[in-house]
Amino acid sequence: MSKKVRVRFAPSPTGGLHLGGVRTVLYNYLFAKKNGGDFIVRIEDTDQSRYVAGAEEYIFDTLKWCRLEPDESVQHGGEYGPYRQSERKASYLQYAERLVKDGYAYYAFDTSSELEKMRNDFKSEQNHTPQYDLHTRLKMRNSLSLTEEEVNKLLADKTPYVIRIKMPEQETISFNDMIRGEVHFDSSLVDDKVLLKADGMPTYHLAVVVDDYQMKISHAFRGEEWLPSAPVHILLWKYLFGIENMPQWAHFPLILGPNGKLSKRDGSKYGFPVFAMNWMYPKTNELTEGFKEKGFIPQGFINLLALLGWNDGTEKEIFSLEELIEKFSMERVHSAGAHFDYDKAKWYNHEWIKQLSIADFRLQIEKGFLPENHDESKLDKIISLVKDRCTLLTDFTEQSSFFFKAPETLDTDSVKPKWNDAKQLFFVELIRNYELTLQWDATTLESNFKEIASVNGLKPGELMLPFRIMLVGGKFGPGVFDIADVLRKEETISRIKKALDIFSAK
Ligand code: GLU
């Protein structure tokens, strides 16, 4: 019987969630849902020195915004808790000790100054950063280099120690990665990683393996940056739980920015967001802008992330979450790095904004993208006119502000050079006509406009631009008669009058 699909996203709460992190969440989520499995979020907070207040909450808020809710987590509960590694501390020690007993790991008593000394003593032309490994381990103070009595005495004296894995010499460690195929590592090149720290906390390497085992994880998917750690994890599986019980691995490709691997700094450098939502580093108060606050909607964000490293084998680019669940497969995830293109990202968002209903768009802009003095009664009509012009939710302000407030400046340069008495007279007549109009709607306003133009022997095309600039201030916005319709009679006429004064001024 095949194992139930159980995948996990295992973030360390050290800061905001980067694009790559959310894509890892998404691919895990899609794989779980496609296979009727569970998606688990486990907080990997064993390195307390890197813990950042607020980061855990931020992760869950992001998942909520993206609509990628876990089945089990600190917030969602579940049978395999606790879902925070620091609360599972007691379960790791026995495994670390078992590894020592079986000869796969050892106690190391070195102080930080002894480690420092080793790094200096063994530094050479060929080796700039000597590691604690098969070349150096016997020159250090550990249970491999000391006698049994010495070790027992140190332990009895409560000398602080860590437990390190003893990497085998010249062994090829292999595993099958669902994206990369067979991957091989030379064990001699990997250092003896610490598994248990002096304070009794496991390191990530031990905790990840023990937890994946205890939480019955069937597939462990994560970013490519974790590939170098894989040989240690494979060995721990072999030593502790048996390779046959090991999850299937996959390492997702890097996301590339304009200059290689997309970095958090690229955001401010190139003017696009890198984090899912705004993140403020508590120590420095440095704000990193998020896709959410930049005006992306979850559907667009998810869609663009899904296509950063995957496609369904056709030219199709627009997918809802439901379609992604149906179509997603690990076989189609690329192994090469995926280029992030901000213009393309905005294109996805625009496509999704166009698909939103007026009510859904309204819900989205109500979360902080509405101009302050907006008129509720006109809002739906305005949305229907400008929604499709918004690539980002933030565009709504610029696209709609003239509905709520007369423009402060007019683009006179686009009008004045061609302004003449005939045009001036046309608008004077238009004011008179509009004042008397009983029927105030776009169709009537347009036909009256055209009729007056024709009676005066003018081309309506030449009059529309000045009219638009009178109402909007610039050369943008939806149909000008729709705009006048929404502005109503009094406001439309008042804007024409004000503009006429400006256009006719010498
Ligand atoms: N705690 C690791 C991280 O912060 C998780 C790596 C893994 O999924 O094994 O990304």
Side-chain angles (χ1 to χ4, degrees):
M1 206 184 77
S2 62
K3 274 202 251 178
K4 173 158 198 210
V5 167
R6 286 177 56 79
V7 300
R8 86 303 190 271
F9 173 58
S12 300
T14 53
L17 260 191
H18 179 266
L19 267 186
V22 193
R23 190 194 55 183
T24 298
V25 174
L26 177 64
Y27 287 3
N28 269 290
Y29 178 92
L30 296 176
F31 185 82
K33 296 301 145 191
K34 168 144 192 161
N35 294 290
D38 301 325
F39 168 53
I40 294 124
V41 171
R42 180 176 69 224
I43 300 295
E44 303 211 320
D45 59 346
T46 55
D47 189 351
Q48 300 279 314
S49 64
R50 291 180 64 224
Y51 180 84
V52 175
E56 185 181 310
E57 206 183 354
Y58 172 99
I59 290 165
F60 285 107
D61 288 348
T62 299
L63 300 194
K64 190 169 276 164
W65 176 62
C66 295
R67 301 173 188 164
L68 301 172
E69 291 278 348
D71 299 298
E72 296 168 29
S73 80
V74 174
Q75 292 196 355
H76 301 76
E79 278 177 52
Y80 297 86
Y83 292 91
R84 212 179 266 120
Q85 278 179 337
S86 57
E87 292 166 22
R88 302 172 70 85
K89 185 175 167 186
S91 69
Y92 306 110
L93 182 64
Q94 49 166 323
Y95 292 108
E97 286 185 334
R98 201 167 99 200
L99 289 165
V100 176
K101 203 166 116 283
D102 294 344
Y104 297 127
Y106 58 91
Y107 298 115
F109 301 95
D110 317 275
T111 60
S112 46
S113 56
E114 283 165 340
L115 290 170
E116 181 80 45
K117 185 169 177 320
M118 178 269 279
R119 284 185 206 112
N120 281 327
D121 290 355
F122 294 101
K123 206 187 243 166
S124 68
E125 278 287 302
Q126 295 79 22
N127 190 358
H128 295 278
T129 47
Q131 312 192 97
Y132 205 118
D133 60 12
L134 65 135
H135 303 293
T136 52
R137 63 167 79 110
L138 288 179
K139 298 175 181 111
M140 304 302 291
R141 277 195 320 133
N142 55 49
S143 57
L144 300 174
S145 63
L146 302 171
T147 64
E148 203 176 324
E149 292 79 64
E150 285 170 318
V151 171
N152 288 340
K153 167 123 187 32
L154 285 167
L155 291 176
D157 290 349
K158 303 229 169 323
T159 314
Y161 66 84
V162 300
I163 292 181
R164 287 181 180 269
I165 188 168
K166 183 182 169 202
M167 287 304 286
E169 266 178 55
Q170 289 178 336
E171 195 176 300
T172 303
I173 305 169
S174 310
F175 73 96
N176 191 281
D177 185 290
M178 288 173 78
I179 299 170
R180 285 147 218 276
E182 281 292 314
V183 185
H184 308 282
F185 295 91
D186 175 355
S187 67
S188 316
L189 301 177
V190 184
D191 62 321
D192 291 352
K193 295 243 180 310
V194 173
L195 302 178
L196 198 82
K197 292 181 277 188
D199 61 1
M201 256 310 182
T203 59
Y204 153 71
H205 301 291
L206 178 64
V208 79
V209 170
V210 170
D211 288 347
D212 282 351
Y213 170 73
Q214 292 184 338
M215 294 183 176
K216 295 202 168 57
I217 298 302
S218 63
H219 297 78
F221 303 152
R222 56 191 180 186
E224 186 179 309
E225 62 276 23
W226 298 101
L227 201 52
S229 305
V232 177
H233 303 163
I234 309 291
L235 285 181
L236 290 176
W237 270 99
K238 184 169 144 193
Y239 299 154
L240 290 171
F241 308 118
I243 285 288
E244 63 288 358
N245 296 315
M246 189 168 76
Q248 272 188 268
W249 298 96
H251 293 84
F252 299 132
L254 291 178
I255 296 186
L256 305 172
N259 260 321
K261 187 178 175 219
L262 184 72
S263 84
K264 291 169 193 161
R265 251 148 249 108
D266 282 351
S268 46
K269 201 150 138 206
Y270 300 104
F272 56 72
V274 172
F275 283 171
M277 305 193 316
N278 274 3
W279 169 255
M280 173 98 88
Y281 288 95
K283 279 192 193 131
T284 57
N285 279 355
E286 182 196 337
L287 180 81
T288 313
E289 202 178 23
F291 279 84
K292 180 178 177 222
E293 291 77 5
K294 195 87 185 172
F296 279 76
I297 58 172
Q299 296 93 321
F301 185 53
I302 288 305
N303 197 156
L304 78 92
L305 280 182
L307 276 282
L308 264 178
W310 172 88
N311 65 47
D312 76 342
T314 72
E315 298 288 296
K316 185 172 158 74
E317 292 186 287
I318 299 298
F319 294 89
S320 66
L321 190 57
E322 291 68 32
E323 285 173 309
L324 287 171
I325 292 172
E326 193 196 317
K327 295 276 165 59
F328 185 76
S329 74
M330 290 296 287
E331 291 72 42
R332 295 212 56 87
V333 176
H334 320 311
S335 55
H339 277 276
F340 173 70
D341 171 351
Y342 188 49
D343 287 332
K344 184 77 190 196
K346 287 194 286 187
W347 176 83
Y348 281 112
N349 203 56
H350 191 199
E351 291 304 305
W352 273 103
I353 283 189
K354 287 195 271 181
Q355 294 198 28
L356 287 185
S357 67
I358 292 179
D360 283 342
F361 185 85
R362 185 175 174 139
L363 279 178
Q364 292 288 345
I365 54 167
E366 275 167 358
K367 295 173 199 153
F369 300 101
L370 267 180
E372 261 175 37
N373 300 318
H374 64 273
D375 178 343
E376 279 294 323
S377 66
K378 291 180 177 175
L379 200 52
D380 282 353
K381 174 80 185 159
I382 293 170
I383 290 175
S384 74
L385 293 175
V386 305
K387 178 175 76 73
D388 292 2
R389 298 172 173 269
C390 299
T391 299
L392 301 171
L393 293 174
T394 35
D395 295 335
F396 184 72
T397 312
E398 194 195 337
Q399 290 293 340
S400 68
S401 63
F402 56 85
F403 285 111
F404 306 115
K405 201 168 165 274
E408 270 162 26
T409 53
L410 304 185
D411 174 9
T412 46
D413 291 349
S414 301
V415 179
K416 275 196 143 181
K418 290 186 187 160
W419 194 249
N420 56 29
D421 289 348
K423 288 183 184 173
Q424 177 86 11
L425 285 174
F426 167 84
F427 280 101
V428 171
E429 207 176 325
L430 187 73
I431 293 171
R432 213 176 297 135
N433 175 290
Y434 279 2
E435 267 169 351
L436 299 173
T437 303
L438 297 176
Q439 185 96 357
W440 192 268
D441 59 56
T443 323
T444 312
L445 299 177
E446 180 169 5
S447 82
N448 291 9
F449 187 98
K450 289 187 171 158
E451 203 181 304
I452 304 170
S454 128
V455 168
N456 288 284
L458 294 166
K459 290 200 195 97
E462 285 176 26
L463 301 161
M464 303 268 253
L465 179 70
F467 190 32
R468 172 175 296 282
I469 290 178
M470 288 169 175
L471 302 187
V472 174
K475 291 189 215 168
F476 64 97
V480 71
F481 300 104
D482 289 318
I483 298 173
D485 183 350
V486 176
L487 290 177
R488 312 307 299 162
K489 183 184 281 192
E490 199 187 323
E491 182 62 21
T492 303
I493 292 174
S494 136
R495 289 190 193 184
I496 302 175
K497 283 183 176 163
K498 271 193 204 138
L500 280 184
D501 288 344
I502 297 171
F503 294 162
S504 58
K506 292 282 175 255

